[in-house]
Each structure stands twice: as structure tokens, then as C-alpha cells.
């Protein structure tokens, strides 16, 4: 039962206890972020803020819209916007727009769309990098148009240059 | 205070078999190996993103590294993950693997997006890397066995195999507790429990995905107007997270909590299409369970298959001489006695069932009406006129009602030990079902008729 440091077992148990305290303490260490003015999430020690944020009735989203020749809108999949999965692309898209990189991104997406022959992409003639505000409740009751939308950059899909 | 410390010490440093920790190493190691294999393409693509998106997190204090160097580090980590799972040169390779994995995962999360599902897998790898998780079921153990014949590492038991398991569980519940605090300390506070915010979270998540071209999630659209469902889910999930540390206080509380947390993640997948791989595979929750029982079941299954050809002949039929000798040699191995109502048809059938599925001959039998049976009833302070339960004595410990029945099943040939999982059901509930059937058993089952002629090796298992 004892943690007597003079015995080998006691020393080993003390070391084990130290490891336990350090690791549990480390997992608890991000807790103060909850009361910080500018909280910062981290890895692997997170304060797990993902479900705690308050959601507003009208939310802002970043996305890429493709238009066909008749002006029909189609949302572009994250796979043509960037790499690394849905959430990664979403955050990267926001960061790029905020950093002023929309025109270059629009060109990149247009080139990728031109290389695709699937039903979703083959009629697309232009792509636009957008930030839109949507009423969440309206959206879930069938009214899927944005309350307001700002287009940061647009690029034509040029299929003639595609090899 | 001293008593509290003693309790904590006994709990944290309780003896455990080396196989429990070893199996956790294998499962977590196999998960990470698969994870790295499956995500190699994504990791390499992300490492090649625009450096402007790089924002270092965790142990990454530098800028982006070259793609060549990253690929080399990734592949080295992958090889080390295999060595970790196999338990080869654990003392050296495991800490290096843990350090490399820590860097690799931090580097991957440094590209604008933190994936919270990877945290606990990494923490568990660190625990397993600094503990003696390769003392059994590892190549190290095989090599040690060759050097020192007779050193059966699978049979090792000690406190050094338990604290890492406790720590793995503690880290899991601590992380869930931190999640609950974030919800309560957030802008919603206790209002989070109303479920409105959870509903909004689900809706926004679904919209984000749809606006990035994903097919609309039919489940989230169907659930959106069911406000009551979100109210219940919010309360249940917050309780599960906030009171998670209580799961450490009792073995069954741990099982109960782990199963519910596991189901919660499957619920999140169903409603929001969010895949937390480590949680969904259940590997994260294994530390809450005596995983080494899988080996016991496996050995029992292998033994049953081995013995199948030499099973005792049905009652009333003579056994081949070889089988008689084999059984006679094992007759001294009885570990438990089952006392049953000799005038009850259901009990009689149950005894036949146990005889048939107990090739290891773990059980001996006696009726509750026999002198030995009456002695047991008196010991348990149970009436000998109105018999309401069988009694199973294992070691020197008597068990009654559903506990006896389930403990008997645990000792039988596969697949019957799986029924032991019902021990997780609270005892009053189990015993309620048992008593309901016991009270009607004489109505439902005819009393046993003439005793069939029994083979001598079976008769020997019945105490007079």
C-alpha cells in the first residue's frame, strides 16, 4: 500500500502516480480558456468548444456557387475547392477569403471544374466565391435562398484549354 | 483521509493481468495503424497546402516542413505503429513512436482545422508507450520466452498493469468533463439543456455541408421540428459528460457510462454524419472493460472444439472406454457446486443443459432437498420448504437467483459465456425476471419423471 521511496516498488508507484497526475492535469489544463477573453483551441489539449458556441437565427457561411448557362445555381463540392475533408476545406475557404485570396481560388476551382465531366460539373460555365447569410429556420422549412450574399470573385470555366 | 488514500491506492494500483494492458496496446495500436494507412493520402495532401493556411498548434513551434521530409516522417511513424502493435523492442520503439505521432498529428491539425476526435487516441498511445504494455502478447514476450524457457508472460499479474488502464479511463472521462464545462461556461450556460442550441448546432452543421455540395441529410431535416427530442438529447448528453468522472467509482458504472457514451457517438453519426472514428469503433472505451476475458473465451472455445469429440455420452448411454478414462482423470477439477430443486422440471432441464455444455466439468450437482443442499439453505438463511432459487457455490462463495444462473453460463462452452454480459443489468431487475419465472416454473414445466440410467462418470458429479 505504501509509496515508500526507499523501496523499488514505492519508487515505481510514485513515478506512475506522477505520470497520471501530469496527463490528467494536462487534459484539464485548457479549462481556463472557457473564461478567457480570446480563447484559443489547441491540440491535443483542447477545451472542446465545438458544441458550446451560441448559434444565431441568421448564420454566415462561405461557399462556392457554380452557374450553368441558364443561370441555375449549384453548390460546388468541397473536393473541387480544396484538400483535406469538408471541415478543413470550410475553414480554409474562410481564411482564404478573409486574406483576400478569392480571385486566385476562383481560378483554381474553375480549372478543376473544367477537368471534371460528372453531371454536377459538366454544365457549369462560371464559379463564384461567396459569403452568404442564411436564416436557419427558413432553410429547414424549404426557403433555401440566402438572406444576403456577397460575391468575392468569379471565374469562367474554360473547357477549351483543358487537356 | 488515510482511509480515502488507502481506497484510492487499492483502486489505482489493484493487481491486473498483463494481458489486459497488452490487449489494449494491440487494439489501440491496430486502430492507429489503420488510421495512418487510411489517412496517408489526406495527410500528404494537407501537408502540401498553401503555407498561408499554416497556424502551428500543440508541439509544433516551427513553420511548414518540406513535403519530402514530412512523407519520410509519416512513413517512419507508420512503421513504428506496426512495431508498437506487435510489441517489438517496446521500451525503445514505443516512446519514439508516441513522440513522432504527437508531432505528426499536431502538424496535421496546424492547417486551419483541429480534429477533436484524434485527441484521445494520441493520449492513449502515450500512456501505453510509457507503461509495460508489451510484457504479454508481444514479440518481446516471445523473445523473452525463448531466452528464459518457462517464463509464461501471459500469466503475469501485477499493479503495474492496472494503473495505465485506470489512467486511460480517467483521461477519457476527464475529456468528456472538459466538454461539459465548455457548454456550461459558454454563452448559453444552463440554457444549453433546453436543447435549442443543440438543434441549431445540428442545423448549422447540416447547412455547412449542403452549401459545400453534400447531399442533404434527411435525418437532420426530419428531426428539425422535433424540439422535444433535442431537449431530451441535450440533457442526456450533458449529464453523460458532466458526470463522466463518476464512471471511475465502480466497475459497472464504468460499463454503463462507456456503453452510453459509445451510443451517443453513434447517435451523432446518425443525426449529423460526424465520424469520430476512435469513439465509433469502441476502441476508446475498451479500458473500462476486462478485455482479457476475450482470451478466456477464446481458450474455452478452443478447448471445447478440442474436447467435442470426447464429450460425455448422453445420459443413459454407455460411454466409450477412452472417454470414460479421460473424464475420470478430470473429475477432480470441479470448481463449483450447483444446488437445485430436485422436484422441479425446469431445474432438471437446466442441469441437463449444464451437463451438456460443461465439457471442462466445472460443476458438480446436488439437490436442495439433500442434506448438503439443506445445509446451504440454512447457511443462506433461506427457507427449505418453499424453494425459490437455485444456489451455486463457487470457491466458497454462494450465489443465488440470476447471479447464479449467469455465473454458471460464464463457465460453459461458447457461446453461452456471452450471456454473462447481462450482469450489467441491475440486480433487482435481473432477479425480478428470475423470480417471475421461478414462481411459475411448476405450472409451466412438468416435474421430472423417472430418473434415467446415468453413466458412472456423470453420476460421480452428483453429490448425494
Amino acid at each position: 500500500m505504501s509509496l515508500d521511496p526507499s523501496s523499488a516498488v514505492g519508487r515505481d508507484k510514485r513515478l506512475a502516480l506522477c505520470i497520471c497526475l501530469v496527463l490528467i492535469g494536462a487534459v484539464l489544463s485548457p479549462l481556463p480558456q472557457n473564461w478567457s477573453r480570446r480563447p484559443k483551441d489547441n491540440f491535443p489539449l483542447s477545451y472542446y468548444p465545438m458544441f458550446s458556441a451560441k448559434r444565431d437565427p441568421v448564420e454566415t457561411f462561405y461557399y462556392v456557387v457554380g452557374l450553368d448557362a441558364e443561370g441555375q445555381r449549384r453548390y460546388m463540392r468541397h473536393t473541387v475547392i480544396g484538400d483535406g475533408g469538408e471541415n478543413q476545406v470550410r475553414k480554409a475557404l474562410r481564411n482564404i477569403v478573409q486574406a483576400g485570396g478569392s480571385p486566385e481560388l476562383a481560378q483554381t476551382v474553375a480549372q478543376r471544374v473544367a477537368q471534371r465531366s460528372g453531371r454536377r460539373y459538366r454544365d457549369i460555365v462560371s464559379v463564384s466565391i461567396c459569403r452568404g447569410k442564411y436564416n436557419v429556420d427558413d432553410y429547414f422549412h424549404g426557403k433555401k435562398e440566402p438572406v444576403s450574399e456577397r460575391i468575392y470573385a468569379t471565374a469562367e470555366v474554360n473547357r477549351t484549354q483543358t487537356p | 483521509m488515510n482511509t480515502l488514500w488507502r481506497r484510492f491506492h487499492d483502486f489505482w494500483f489493484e493487481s491486473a493481468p498483463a494481458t489486459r494492458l497488452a490487449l489494449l496496446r494491440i487494439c489501440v495500436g491496430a486502430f492507429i495503424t489503420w488510421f495512418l494507412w487510411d489517412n496517408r493520402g489526406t495527410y500528404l495532401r494537407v501537408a502540401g497546402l498553401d503555407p498561408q493556411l499554416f497556424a502551428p498548434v500543440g508541439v509544433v513551434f516551427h513553420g511548414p516542413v518540406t513535403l519530402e521530409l514530412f512523407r519520410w516522417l509519416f512513413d517512419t511513424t507508420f512503421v513504428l505503429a506496426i512495431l508498437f502493435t506487435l510489441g517489438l523492442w517496446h521500451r525503445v520503439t514505443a516512446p519514439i513512436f508516441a513522440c513522432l505521432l504527437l508531432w505528426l498529428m499536431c502538424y496535421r491539425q496546424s492547417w486551419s482545422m483541429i480534429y477533436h476526435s484524434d485527441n484521445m487516441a494520441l493520449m492513449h498511445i502515450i500512456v501505453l508507450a510509457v507503461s509495460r504494455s508489451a510484457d504479454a502478447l508481444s514479440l518481446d514476450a516471445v523473445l523473452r520466452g525463448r531466452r528464459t524457457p518457462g517464463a509464461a508472460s501471459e500469466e503475469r499479474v501485477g499493479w503495474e498493469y492496472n494503473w495505465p488502464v485506470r489512467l486511460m479511463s480517467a483521461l477519457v472521462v476527464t475529456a468528456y468533463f472538459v466538454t461539459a464545462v465548455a457548454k456550461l461556461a459558454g454563452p448559453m450556460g444552463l440554457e444549453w439543456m433546453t436543447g435549442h442550441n443543440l438543434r441549431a448546432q445540428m442545423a448549422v452543421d447540416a447547412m455547412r455541408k449542403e452549401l459545400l455540395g453534400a447531399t442533404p441529410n434527411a435525418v437532420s431535416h426530419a428531426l428539425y421540428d422535433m424540439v422535444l427530442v433535442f431537449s431530451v438529447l441535450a440533457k442526456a448528453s450533458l449529464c453523460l459528460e458532466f458526470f463522466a468522472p463518476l464512471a471511475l467509482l465502480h466497475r459497472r458504472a464504468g460499463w454503463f457510462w462507456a456503453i452510453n457514451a459509445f451510443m451517443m457517438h453513434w447517435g451523432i453519426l446518425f443525426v449529423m454524419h460526424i465520424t469520430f472514428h476512435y469513439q465509433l469503433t469502441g476502441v476508446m472505451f475498451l479500458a473500462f472493460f476486462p478485455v482479457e476475458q476475450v482470451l478466456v473465451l477464446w481458450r474455452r472455445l478452443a478447448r471445447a472444439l478440442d474436447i467435442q469429440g470426447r464429450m460425455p455420452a448422453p445420459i443413459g448411454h454407455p460411454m466409450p472406454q477412452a472417454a470414460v478414462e479421460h473424464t475420470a482423470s478430470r473429475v477432480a477439477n470441479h470448481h463449483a457446486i450447483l444446488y437445485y430443486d430436485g422436484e422441479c422440471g425446469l431445474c432438471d432441464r437446466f442441469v441437463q443443459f449444464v451437463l451438456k455444455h460443461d465439457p471442462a466439468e466445472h460443476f458438480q450437482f446436488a439437490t436442495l432437498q439433500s442434506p448438503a443442499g439443506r445445509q446451504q439453505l440454512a447457511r443462506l438463511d433461506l427457507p427449505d420448504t418453499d424453494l425459490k432459487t437455485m444456489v451455486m457455490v463457487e470457491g466458497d462463495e454462494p450465489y443465488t437467483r440470476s447471479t447464479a444462473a449467469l455465473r454458471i453460463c460464464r463457465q460453459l462452452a461458447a457461446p453461452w459465456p456471452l450471456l454473462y454480459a447481462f450482469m450489467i443489468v441491475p440486480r433487482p431487475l435481473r432477479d425480478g425476471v428470475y423470480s417471475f419465472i421461478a414462481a411459475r416454473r411448476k405450472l409451466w414445466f412438468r416435474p421430472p419423471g423417472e430418473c434415467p440410467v446415468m453413466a458412472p462418470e456423470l453420476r460421480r458429479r452428483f453429490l448425494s
Side-chain angles (χ1 to χ4, degrees):
Chain A
M1 133 77 191
S2 105
L3 299 185
D4 181 8
S6 62
S7 73
V9 172
R11 275 196 302 274
D12 287 350
K13 283 188 178 176
R14 275 173 181 249
L15 179 64
L17 212 52
C18 283
I19 293 171
C20 296
L21 289 174
V22 166
L23 285 178
I24 293 172
V27 174
L28 285 170
S29 67
L31 275 178
Q33 294 294 329
N34 287 300
W35 296 278
S36 163
R37 276 189 188 172
R38 302 186 72 183
K40 191 175 182 304
D41 199 13
N42 211 329
F43 181 89
L45 307 175
S46 171
Y47 73 109
Y48 301 99
M50 58 274 195
F51 288 113
S52 60
K54 188 175 182 179
R55 295 293 169 197
D56 294 323
V58 175
E59 284 279 335
T60 304
F61 301 90
Y62 289 84
Y63 49 91
V64 180
V65 166
L67 290 180
D68 64 16
E70 290 162 6
Q72 292 287 320
R73 285 163 66 98
R74 209 169 295 161
Y75 295 107
M76 296 293 98
R77 275 189 70 78
H78 66 92
T79 46
V80 295
I81 304 169
D83 288 313
E86 232 158 43
N87 281 319
Q88 174 102 40
V89 169
R90 176 174 60 80
K91 288 216 171 178
L93 176 60
R94 188 186 63 191
N95 289 351
I96 290 169
V97 170
Q98 287 174 349
S102 304
E104 294 80 9
L105 179 65
Q107 289 296 338
T108 308
V109 176
Q111 281 169 17
R112 287 179 178 167
V113 168
Q115 288 163 8
R116 309 253 169 150
S117 56
R119 200 175 51 184
R120 184 189 285 263
Y121 303 108
R122 66 182 170 220
D123 301 331
I124 301 296
V125 294
S126 71
V127 293
S128 301
I129 311 294
C130 307
R131 188 187 74 176
K133 289 181 185 290
Y134 284 76
N135 184 306
V136 177
D137 211 40
D138 285 352
Y139 189 91
F140 273 80
H141 288 107
K143 196 182 166 198
K144 298 207 168 188
E145 296 77 33
V147 175
S148 66
E149 188 173 71
R150 180 177 168 186
I151 296 171
Y152 284 85
T154 298
E156 301 294 317
V157 177
N158 191 347
R159 288 192 172 79
T160 53
Q161 288 175 2
T162 309
Chain B
M1 190 65 192
N2 206 16
T3 317
L4 207 63
W5 165 247
R6 186 187 293 268
R7 276 190 176 188
F8 169 77
H9 177 276
D10 292 348
F11 167 77
W12 205 258
F13 293 114
E14 190 187 359
S15 273
T19 46
R20 183 180 299 172
L21 189 59
L23 271 173
L24 289 175
R25 185 201 82 242
I26 292 169
C27 292
V28 178
F31 172 83
I32 286 290
T33 307
W34 165 79
F35 178 84
L36 291 175
W37 174 264
D38 196 48
N39 285 282
R40 187 173 185 273
T42 309
Y43 267 60
L44 293 179
R45 276 197 303 277
V46 168
L49 286 174
D50 182 353
Q52 279 189 339
L53 295 172
F54 192 79
V57 296
V59 296
V60 177
F61 296 106
H62 50 77
V65 297
T66 63
L67 203 54
E68 265 314 296
L69 175 62
F70 182 78
R71 183 180 291 124
W72 187 84
L73 287 169
F74 185 95
D75 291 341
T76 307
T77 312
F78 179 71
V79 172
L80 286 170
I82 296 171
L83 296 185
F84 176 87
T85 311
L86 297 173
L88 184 62
W89 309 311
H90 184 81
R91 286 199 170 189
V92 178
T93 57
I96 298 173
F97 167 56
C99 291
L100 265 179
L101 187 70
L102 174 64
W103 178 85
L104 193 76
M105 286 190 154
C106 288
Y107 189 78
R108 191 262 178 268
Q109 320 282 337
S110 298
W111 296 88
S112 304
M113 180 70 206
I114 291 177
Y115 287 91
H116 297 94
S117 56
D118 300 344
N119 303 32
M120 211 35 68
L122 178 60
M123 298 303 281
H124 281 175
I125 287 287
I126 293 171
V127 175
L128 291 163
V130 298
S131 61
R132 295 175 58 174
S133 63
D135 276 10
L137 305 176
S138 63
L139 289 178
D140 280 351
V142 172
L143 294 174
R144 201 168 36 242
R146 280 191 187 165
R147 280 197 300 270
T148 327
S153 55
E154 272 68 36
E155 288 164 17
R156 286 186 186 197
V157 172
W159 62 268
E160 61 271 40
Y161 304 119
N162 195 46
W163 72 262
V165 181
R166 295 272 190 246
L167 178 56
M168 286 170 77
S169 311
L171 290 174
V172 172
V173 297
T174 307
Y176 279 87
F177 176 74
V178 172
T179 312
V181 173
K183 284 170 184 161
L184 294 174
M188 301 293 295
L190 275 175
E191 211 186 313
W192 201 91
M193 299 232 282
T194 60
H196 293 302
N197 206 48
L198 180 64
R199 177 171 170 256
Q201 293 281 355
M202 180 216 65
V204 168
D205 185 73
M207 288 174 74
R208 279 174 177 166
K209 286 171 179 158
E210 283 177 38
L211 295 176
L212 285 176
T215 312
N217 179 352
V219 178
S220 55
H221 279 270
L223 285 178
Y224 184 76
D225 284 328
M226 299 180 190
V227 181
L228 185 66
V229 171
F230 290 97
S231 169
V232 172
L233 289 178
K235 288 177 183 69
S237 60
L238 194 63
C239 283
L240 199 66
E241 289 167 349
F242 191 80
F243 295 110
L246 296 181
L248 294 179
L249 296 182
H250 193 274
R251 190 166 42 107
R252 286 211 198 127
W255 296 355
F256 179 79
W257 181 84
I259 289 169
N260 277 287
F262 174 69
M263 282 163 40
M264 179 176 82
H265 284 286
W266 274 95
I268 293 171
L269 174 70
F270 184 63
V271 176
M272 298 177 77
H273 292 186
I274 297 176
T275 43
F276 293 99
H277 291 111
Y278 195 48
Q279 289 84 341
L280 288 170
T281 54
V283 178
M284 186 167 100
F285 304 107
L286 287 180
F288 290 90
F289 299 91
V291 284
E292 74 280 4
Q293 290 297 322
V294 175
L295 294 176
V296 177
L297 288 180
W298 172 254
R299 282 176 194 145
R300 198 164 290 156
L301 181 70
R303 201 170 52 196
L305 290 173
D306 180 46
I307 290 172
Q308 219 163 33
R310 294 172 284 174
M311 278 278 285
I315 294 171
H317 290 77
M319 282 180 95
Q321 188 55 33
V324 171
E325 282 165 13
H326 173 75
T327 309
S329 70
R330 302 177 67 117
V331 93
N333 293 335
H334 302 303
H335 302 297
I337 304 171
L338 167 58
Y339 296 94
Y340 64 101
D341 180 358
E343 293 161 7
C344 155
L346 176 61
C347 304
D348 183 61
R349 286 180 199 199
F350 185 67
V351 168
Q352 306 290 342
F353 170 82
V354 174
L355 275 170
K356 190 176 169 188
H357 296 282
D358 180 26
E361 298 176 11
H362 185 82
F363 293 101
Q364 282 189 298
F365 307 90
T367 63
L368 285 165
Q369 288 86 353
S370 68
R374 284 178 192 279
Q375 209 176 346
Q376 282 302 328
L377 289 173
R379 182 183 166 198
L380 293 168
D381 207 17
L382 291 171
D384 60 358
T385 45
D386 183 19
L387 303 174
K388 287 177 177 165
T389 174
M390 63 178 156
V391 179
M392 196 271 281
V393 180
E394 197 169 30
D396 201 29
E397 199 66 36
Y399 300 96
T400 58
R401 296 187 175 83
S402 61
T403 309
L406 293 174
R407 289 188 81 93
I408 290 167
C409 289
R410 190 167 72 149
Q411 299 298 342
L412 301 182
W416 303 109
L418 294 177
L419 290 177
Y420 190 66
F422 281 106
M423 282 293 279
I424 200 170
V425 177
R427 190 173 168 174
L429 209 65
R430 284 189 275 121
D431 282 352
V433 175
Y434 183 96
S435 300
F436 178 81
I437 297 170
R440 289 155 184 81
R441 70 192 195 279
K442 290 192 176 167
L443 263 177
W444 293 347
F445 297 90
R446 278 190 207 159
E450 292 280 310
C451 288
V453 180
M454 212 177 268
E457 66 285 342
L458 289 182
R459 208 178 305 137
R460 208 174 293 134
R461 292 173 66 185
F462 284 83
L463 307 173
S464 55

